[in-house]
Every structure is written in C-alpha cells, then in structure tokens.
Amino acid sequence: MDFLPIMFPEDMRVLATFTYTNILEHLVTHFREQRRLFDDTIFDLNIGTYHDKLVTVAPSQKLAETLDLLHEYNLSALPVVDPNSRQILGVYSRSDITFLATAADAENAIANLDMTLEQIMAQQRTDMTTPDALHTVSKGHSLQSIFEYFAQLRFNRLFVVDEKESVVGVVSARDLVAYFLDD
C-alpha cells in the first residue's frame, strides 16, 4: 500500500492519508542533527534498485506490455529508456491515464492498448511538479540530499543516472522508508 488512511474512530471517516513522502518530510525535519548518518551515498548504502534488477521499457513497447510489467513486478512506474544508449527518455506511471482520456469509448480505450510509449509520452502532461514526473540524480548523491529532494518536491521516485545520463537505478520514497525500518 502506498498510503495509510487516518480514520475517525466513531464513524470511520477518512480524515487524512499518510504517505511515504510524509514520513520522509518528518525524518528530514527531525534528524538534521544526526547529519553524519546522511553523508553516505545512496549507492554505497544500497538504497534502491540497480543494474540488472532494474526493469525498463523501450519507447517502441506497447502500452499493454508495459501495464503487464507494472503488474508482474508490482511497480508504480517504469523508466522509458533508449535501447541503444540506455539514456532515460521519460517515465510511464500507473497513474497515467492518457490512453483513457484520449479514447472516445470503451472500444477505443482497448485499441489504445496498442499505442507505443513514445506515442503516449507525446501526449503526457509536462508539469514537473506531479509526483510521477521524471527526476534524476547521480549515484554520488548523499542520503541527505535525496531526503531533501523527496521532502521538498514531494514526488515518488528518483531515477539514478551515470555520467553519460544512462539509467542505472531507481530510488523510491518507499525504499528510503524501508532502509530506516530495516535497520
């Protein structure tokens, strides 16, 4: 689950939701004094998913194949990567409903499953403040800087790139919270 509902006990109304990002905001605010812990890099701390374990898609892949991968690996998003250079071109998120929004009816929505990710990305919103927008960092970013990115920008994941801008990993808000809960 990506969020925890806070319920009013008398009538079970949802008062608020608590997310991984909320937890990260709290940690950044309250653990600034223990800065030494946060000086190590995310890569050295093995926070996130890297190299062979990273699931990616090509711009030529069909939406149906992408949705299958999201389901199979229980992911919320996949990086869209150039198959030759491994450079990250974009991100496809399970919350992207472009294929539904452009459909005239149910039959058309099903037909849109044959669209390529390249076609879908051309129709996506370009608002960089959405939680599923593409944000990148290097393997050398410290845990502190990653925490601050998540807390300030309130997004769900960071894609890790090398010096050639090729994707090598992904760090999610869930990964950061799990790191502290596992220790």
Side-chain angles (χ1 to χ4, degrees), residues 3-54:
F3 63 91
L4 176 67
I6 309 299
M7 312 283 285
F8 192 62
E10 280 81 36
D11 61 6
M12 300 305 288
R13 281 182 293 158
V14 176
L15 300 174
T17 57
F18 201 63
T19 66
Y20 290 109
T21 305
N22 297 131
I23 295 169
L24 295 178
E25 287 173 340
H26 175 79
L27 291 173
V28 167
T29 303
H30 293 89
F31 289 98
R32 288 190 189 277
E33 302 306 315
Q34 299 177 15
R35 189 133 188 150
R36 287 178 301 182
L37 169 69
F38 292 94
D39 288 340
D40 291 331
T41 69
I42 53 169
F43 186 76
D44 291 339
L45 293 170
N46 199 30
I47 298 173
T49 303
Y50 295 93
H51 303 296
D52 294 341
K53 294 180 181 176
L54 180 67

Side-chain angles (χ1 to χ4, degrees), residues 19-123:
T19 66
Y20 290 109
T21 305
N22 297 131
I23 295 169
L24 295 178
E25 287 173 340
H26 175 79
L27 291 173
V28 167
T29 303
H30 293 89
F31 289 98
R32 288 190 189 277
E33 302 306 315
Q34 299 177 15
R35 189 133 188 150
R36 287 178 301 182
L37 169 69
F38 292 94
D39 288 340
D40 291 331
T41 69
I42 53 169
F43 186 76
D44 291 339
L45 293 170
N46 199 30
I47 298 173
T49 303
Y50 295 93
H51 303 296
D52 294 341
K53 294 180 181 176
L54 180 67
V55 180
T56 65
V57 289
S60 60
Q61 273 187 270
K62 304 284 186 190
L63 177 58
E65 297 166 343
T66 303
L67 294 173
D68 285 343
L69 286 172
L70 288 171
H71 177 73
E72 179 182 344
Y73 291 97
N74 193 28
L75 299 171
S76 61
L78 287 167
V80 181
V81 175
D82 181 287
N84 299 318
S85 68
R86 301 272 307 149
Q87 287 186 332
I88 191 162
L89 304 172
V91 60
Y92 182 82
S93 168
R94 68 177 176 203
S95 64
D96 185 351
I97 58 167
T98 304
F99 73 99
L100 289 175
T102 60
D105 54 28
E107 211 171 284
N108 194 246
I110 292 171
N112 283 350
L113 292 172
D114 285 331
M115 292 176 69
T116 66
L117 292 180
E118 186 172 38
Q119 293 169 316
I120 291 169
M121 287 189 330
Q123 298 175 13

